[in-house]
Amino acid sequence: MSKRVFLDTNIVLDLLGEREPFYNSIAQLATLADQKKIEIIVSPISFATVNYFLTKFDGTSVAKEKLRKFKVLCEISKIDETIVEKGLNSDFVDFEDSLQYFCAVDSECEIIITRNAKDFKHSLIPVMSAEEYIKSII
């Protein structure tokens, strides 16, 4: 079974927005997912947030098309009452980060990929940047 990797919103935005200097390492993760070497998990919150930002730069139709193509590569986690409750009662400073974390836990992810590791200091799951993760598996 391939490794289940949770992508934080900033990583999805780096990929779909082709943001440098972060794009290359996350594009490598997307390629690994396309090759079925890893499973990418993303929360529905990330889809909404990324759509918001991409629409500002690329327009609505381009943003939705990028998200449609990305959706083929990933599994979307669920957010339910239990995850919201855990987030509200957690030690996370940022509520959105707590929801991301509990989505990753609920989806049985083995690692969280983010550029803001400090936001996940309470994580019991390993946290890495995309670049760190790629280097760790080479």
Side-chain angles (χ1 to χ4, degrees), residues 29-48:
L29 283 178
T31 298
L32 291 172
D34 190 43
Q35 296 169 344
K36 309 289 188 226
K37 293 181 179 176
I38 64 170
E39 294 176 67
I40 290 177
I41 318 303
V42 178
S43 80
I45 294 171
S46 293
F47 271 79

Side-chain angles (χ1 to χ4, degrees), residues 7-21:
L7 300 187
D8 192 14
T9 302
N10 55 43
I11 299 297
V12 179
L13 192 54
D14 289 344
L15 175 66
L16 300 184
E18 298 180 29
R19 299 193 310 183
E20 294 296 341

Side-chain angles (χ1 to χ4, degrees), residues 9 12-13 16 45-55 63 67:
T9 302
V12 179
L13 192 54
L16 300 184
I45 294 171
S46 293
F47 271 79
T49 303
V50 169
N51 180 68
Y52 173 80
F53 285 107
L54 288 179
T55 297
L67 287 167

Side-chain angles (χ1 to χ4, degrees), residues 21-80:
F22 313 108
Y23 176 75
N24 287 337
S25 55
I26 185 58
Q28 289 175 5
L29 283 178
T31 298
L32 291 172
D34 190 43
Q35 296 169 344
K36 309 289 188 226
K37 293 181 179 176
I38 64 170
E39 294 176 67
I40 290 177
I41 318 303
V42 178
S43 80
I45 294 171
S46 293
F47 271 79
T49 303
V50 169
N51 180 68
Y52 173 80
F53 285 107
L54 288 179
T55 297
K56 288 184 169 291
F57 298 103
D58 296 333
T60 302
S61 60
V62 171
K64 282 188 178 178
E65 187 57 29
K66 285 181 176 185
L67 287 167
R68 279 187 198 100
K69 289 178 180 178
F70 177 65
K71 185 183 172 296
V72 172
L73 289 178
C74 67
E75 175 183 321
I76 300 173
S77 68
K78 67 177 174 128
I79 293 182
D80 59 13

